[in-house]
Structure formats: C-alpha cells, structure tokens
Amino acid sequence: MKTITIRLPDVEAAMLVEVQKVNRAYRGIQGFLVSQIQQEYAKTAKGRASS
C-alpha cells in the first residue's frame, strides 16, 4: 500500500470543509480519490483491456 500526503494551504482546506458539508462524496477523501483513480484508469487502454 502506498501513502499519499496532501498538503493544502489554509484557504483550500477551508474550501474543502465547505464542500464536504454539501457534497457527501468529498466526506471520505480516501474513498473519493480511489474511485476517481479507478474511473480514470478505466479510460486508459490497459483499463479497457482488463474489463
């Protein structure tokens, strides 16, 4: 397993908090990021071949 560290400036961190209040997808950042990676990978040639 890889660990990704994200550093957000205070302004963007405050923006994220506000977005999390409105959009449930952003509440679990780890799950959200994993799903985004999977969706983008599915668009690649390798991702389409494994389907």
Side-chain angles (χ1 to χ4, degrees):
M1 182 175 287
K2 299 285 183 185
T3 300
I4 298 174
T5 302
I6 300 173
R7 293 175 184 248
L8 291 176
D10 291 339
V11 173
E12 281 78 10
M15 289 178 188
L16 177 59
V17 169
E18 291 303 313
V19 170
Q20 286 174 324
K21 291 177 184 176
V22 178
N23 190 336
R24 296 183 69 88
Y26 286 89
R27 291 188 185 163
I29 292 296
Q30 182 176 346
F32 178 75
L33 183 57
V34 168
S35 69
Q36 289 297 110
I37 291 168
Q38 289 171 341
Q39 287 176 19
E40 291 302 316
Y41 181 76
K43 294 176 185 177
T44 68
K46 257 186 163 175
R48 288 190 302 268
S50 66
S51 297

